[in-house]
Amino acid sequence: MTMMEWWDGFWATYNTVIFSVGVNAMLALSIYVTLSCGLLSLANAAFMGIGAYAASLISMQTGLPFPLALAAGGILPALVALVIGIPTLRLSGVYLAMATLGFGEVVRVVVLNMDITGGPMGLNGVPPITEWWHIVLLLLATLYILARVRRSKIGRAFEAIKEDEVAARLMGVNVAGYKLLAFVMGAAIAGVAGALNAHYTFTIGPNNYGFENAVDILTMAVFGGTSNLIGPVLGSTILSLLPEVLREFKDFRLAANGLILILVVLYLPKGMWDPRRVRAFLQRRSAAKSATKKVN
């Protein structure tokens, strides 16, 4: 078997998994944005669904180019987030989580009962337009933009609000405005991820964007760590590949994700990728090597 034949067989078998790694990384980054501002939102699965349906309907019913469908998949969830965020973001903590989870259920029921979205059967025959480089390009663009935001005045405001909302307000930070910005940014990223996902799975349905998916997205981000951009990408990659490694336990995936979330919160509160813990580990190794050299 030649290398090219091996690669063709590998790609035919695992291309969906590889695509899902990139899309899940974007979803984890979408919730990272809201978490970086201290918002526990569970609406990202719903925003993903809105983006997926908007882009799919444009591709299936119009002759518009794929980039415009992707743009619509990001803009529509952002507009919805802008509308619902103004009253909803007055809440915080578990109350915000409950409100956004309720919004997700409303979106699911609305989609379930609309003819244009295919009702319970969803949409079938979505054009398979998504290529691997679309996902790589948009993931890199998302990482670049979020890295710039993190080092900007906006990123510092997000961090201040996360640490102490009252103190941030007293310092003159527009808390409501920055919270809304984080919410809208997260919705746009999730919507684009949903649009990309819909155009390689060929079919989408309302049950693809429910409570289970919202928990999956949160688990990926928290598992990897939300103190930097590497954590969500790492967490989403591991949890995307895990079902392939543990295929025999696929029926217990939601339970496994819940268990992982509990263990990470208890023993790795900063997630798998904690820069401080990594630096401390490297310093200990360096000190141990230096001590060994002195003894020798």
Side-chain angles (χ1 to χ4, degrees), residues 1-15 18-19 132:
M1 179 183 293
T2 65
M3 187 65 182
M4 185 60 69
E5 289 174 341
W6 176 86
W7 172 253
D8 289 341
F10 175 85
W11 183 254
T13 304
Y14 295 106
N15 69 85
I18 295 170
F19 281 11
W132 66 268

Side-chain angles (χ1 to χ4, degrees), residues 222-223 258-271 277:
V222 174
F223 177 69
L259 180 61
I260 289 170
L261 190 59
I262 293 170
L263 292 175
V264 169
V265 170
L266 288 176
Y267 299 106
L268 296 172
K270 297 292 185 179
R277 189 174 69 245

Side-chain angles (χ1 to χ4, degrees), residues 53 117-124 203-206:
Y53 273 98
T117 59
M121 300 300 294
L123 295 176
N124 294 297
T203 179
I204 57 175

Side-chain angles (χ1 to χ4, degrees), residues 118-183:
M121 300 300 294
L123 295 176
N124 294 297
V126 180
I129 306 173
T130 299
E131 299 286 349
W132 66 268
W133 61 268
H134 291 143
I135 297 176
V136 171
L137 182 63
L138 287 170
L139 177 57
L140 291 177
T142 302
L143 286 167
Y144 175 75
I145 292 170
L146 293 182
R148 293 293 298 270
V149 168
R150 182 180 170 86
R151 292 191 294 267
S152 69
K153 177 184 176 182
I154 297 173
R156 292 191 291 273
F158 284 177
E159 189 65 26
I161 294 169
K162 180 181 178 181
E163 293 298 325
D164 193 324
E165 185 176 320
V166 175
R169 187 177 286 109
L170 292 174
M171 291 168 59
V173 176
N174 183 358
V175 173
Y178 281 113
K179 279 186 172 183
L180 187 59
L181 176 61
F183 195 57

